Amino acid sequence: MSSATGRLLIVHGPNLNMLGTREPGIYGSESLEDINALCHRAAADLGYDLDTVQSNHEGALVDAIQAARGTADGIVINPAAYTHTSVAIADALRATALPVVEVHLSNVHAREAFRSHSYVSPVAEAVIAGAGSTGYRFAIEHLAAYLSS
Ligand code: CA2
């Protein structure tokens, strides 16, 4: 039996399984496993259980988001490239009616113009971009504060 305050879901989009292998100047040198470990520590510090999921497939991400309804209290999502293209992911997030925090490792607003548009941001309680892996800790702290308010 868990005595946790609640349960959070971290959703990682396409290619984030490649973290730490290429483009460290943009995305940092930590692996996805490192970031998941950071998320587990941040959630545990605040009394939350945590699930993580990564997929390179839009439909699998939609399935994971739909499954969060009834099992999670909030979602942290880095939709990666689907940020800029996916109405399906935005609709799935909206349908959960759960609080969502959108995270980007890089400052998407300082890069190519197409990265400044997000289908997910209108569904999000908060958006964190450019803080690197620490952005995930900020997102978890914000969700915990939101859920306890
Ligand atoms: O800054 C972010 O976190 C992004 O969501 C990352 C996405 C990008 O499409 C978004 O515009 C911003 C790309 C993730 C790809 O990650 C890689 C990591 C290592 C090697 C190759 C790709």
Side-chain angles (χ1 to χ4, degrees):
M1 195 177 77
S2 170
S3 59
T5 310
R7 193 166 202 93
L8 305 177
L9 175 65
I10 311 287
V11 180
H12 304 288
N15 295 308
L16 289 169
N17 57 314
M18 302 290 286
L19 284 172
T21 65
R22 294 186 58 194
E23 306 203 68
I26 301 175
Y27 300 122
S29 54
E30 289 167 279
S31 67
L32 190 63
E33 288 70 26
D34 294 334
I35 290 176
N36 283 338
L38 173 163
C39 290
H40 277 285
R41 284 195 299 276
D45 287 349
L46 294 160
Y48 281 84
D49 286 331
L50 188 82
D51 296 310
T52 67
V53 62
Q54 187 277 330
S55 180
N56 296 324
H57 304 278
E58 188 175 21
L61 293 165
V62 168
D63 287 344
I65 292 163
Q66 287 183 3
R69 191 180 170 149
T71 62
D73 300 295
I75 298 175
V76 174
I77 183 165
N78 183 345
Y82 286 140
T83 305
H84 319 299
T85 64
S86 181
V87 176
I89 287 173
D91 283 349
L93 289 167
R94 193 176 286 109
T96 65
L98 293 170
V100 172
V101 179
E102 176 183 352
V103 173
H104 298 286
L105 293 159
S106 65
N107 178 357
V108 284
H109 303 292
R111 300 181 62 194
E112 302 96 322
F114 75 85
R115 294 189 202 273
S116 282
H117 177 261
S118 168
Y119 283 96
V120 170
S121 294
V123 186
E125 287 297 330
V127 181
I128 299 164
S133 61
T134 310
Y136 288 87
R137 173 173 279 277
F138 295 153
I140 289 166
E141 288 175 352
H142 180 73
L143 267 186
Y146 178 89
L147 289 166
S148 67
S149 66

